[in-house]
């Protein structure tokens, strides 16, 4: 069983929810207020408790790590992986603190570029835990996700993968 939780200060797009369902993934959406919203942690905590059979939790927002870790405390738990993708240049003191805590609360942290990881390491100094980090360019491991060698259908053009992002002040 696959499940996905959307957690943010904007509603989840109905199209994304429909695509998840079409692929057999059970989606749920949780909204939170802008900034630090402690009340929004309870629904995430409860969602994680309902999905304790997961093999891993992939987290995109460091504050959610508190709820995920609390829900999994004291039991054999799945891995918790955080993907860091907020611009280092736009991080305020609270976001830097969350980046540091992520290295202690998550089993691993994925950075999108070596330069991004190096900036975090330089900023966090002794709080940086390099053994818990990995760099996966643009968050997509092309060695892992490629057509199998037995795939013989000719491709007329390369496969293009794009990303749509907002270049505005931090969303949260």
């Amino acid at each position: 069983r696959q499940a996905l939780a959307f957690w943010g200060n904007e509603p989840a797009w109905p199209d994304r929810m429909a695509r998840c369902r079409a692929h057999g993934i059970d989606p749920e959406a949780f909204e939170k207020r802008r900034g630090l919203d402690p009340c929004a942690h309870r629904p995430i905590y409860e969602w994680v408790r309902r999905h304790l059979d997961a093999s891993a939790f992939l987290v995109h927002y460091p504050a959610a790590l508190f709820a995920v870790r609390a829900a999994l405390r004291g039991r054999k738990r799945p891995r918790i992986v955080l993907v860091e993708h907020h611009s280092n240049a736009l991080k305020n003191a609270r976001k830097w603190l969350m980046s540091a805590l992520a290295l202690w609360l998550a089993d691993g942290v994925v950075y999108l570029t070596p330069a991004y990881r190096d900036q975090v390491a330089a900023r966090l100094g002794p709080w940086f835990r390099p053994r818990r980090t990995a760099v996966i360019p643009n968050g997509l491991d092309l060695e892992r996700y490629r057509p199998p060698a037995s795939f013989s259908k000719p491709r007329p053009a390369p496969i293009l993968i794009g990303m749509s992002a907002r270049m505005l002040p931090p969303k949260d």
Side-chain angles (χ1 to χ4, degrees), residues 60-124:
H60 283 269
Y61 183 66
L65 287 169
F66 294 111
V68 173
R69 283 301 295 244
L72 299 172
R73 183 180 36 229
R75 50 180 35 107
K76 185 177 179 197
R77 63 173 178 77
R79 289 182 49 82
I80 301 169
V81 178
L82 174 88
V83 178
E84 267 265 21
H85 56 81
H86 294 288
S87 168
N88 288 330
L90 297 177
K91 286 182 182 175
N92 57 25
R94 183 175 55 87
K95 291 208 187 295
W96 278 109
L97 174 62
M98 299 309 284
S99 289
L101 288 172
L103 288 162
W104 292 88
L105 294 173
D107 296 303
V109 178
V110 172
Y111 298 101
L112 304 183
T113 67
Y116 187 112
R117 180 178 180 242
D118 294 345
Q119 289 170 357
V120 173
R123 178 72 183 247
L124 299 182

